[in-house]
Amino acid sequence: LSGAVEPVGALFTIWAAGLVVPALPYLLSFAAGAMLYVVAAELLPTRGDSGPGALAFAAGFTVMMILDVALG
């Protein structure tokens, strides 16, 4: 009996997914920005410090962006 609501939830999810498709690039870019912020906050505990952690993060991000653009 507890699984009887699952088909209703599935139909609602399919309906909601159709509405979200136009806004999906904006939602994904927001999620990516939030992930970058969390990673930078965890890896660089002293913000503003231009030590090896900040340089490594910047280098890694640059390599990732170059590969993303180069490989499509």
Side-chain angles (χ1 to χ4, degrees):
L1 189 59
S2 67
V5 296
E6 289 182 12
V8 175
L11 291 175
F12 176 74
T13 302
I14 292 170
W15 173 76
L19 295 176
V20 173
V21 169
L24 199 57
Y26 304 106
L27 296 172
L28 289 174
S29 63
F30 178 77
M35 287 175 52
L36 281 175
Y37 172 76
V38 169
V39 167
E42 290 295 321
L43 290 178
L44 308 172
T46 57
R47 294 180 197 247
D49 184 21
S50 60
L55 293 175
F57 179 77
F61 183 78
T62 303
V63 169
M64 180 184 68
M65 285 291 103
I66 290 171
L67 289 174
D68 180 48
V69 171
L71 300 176

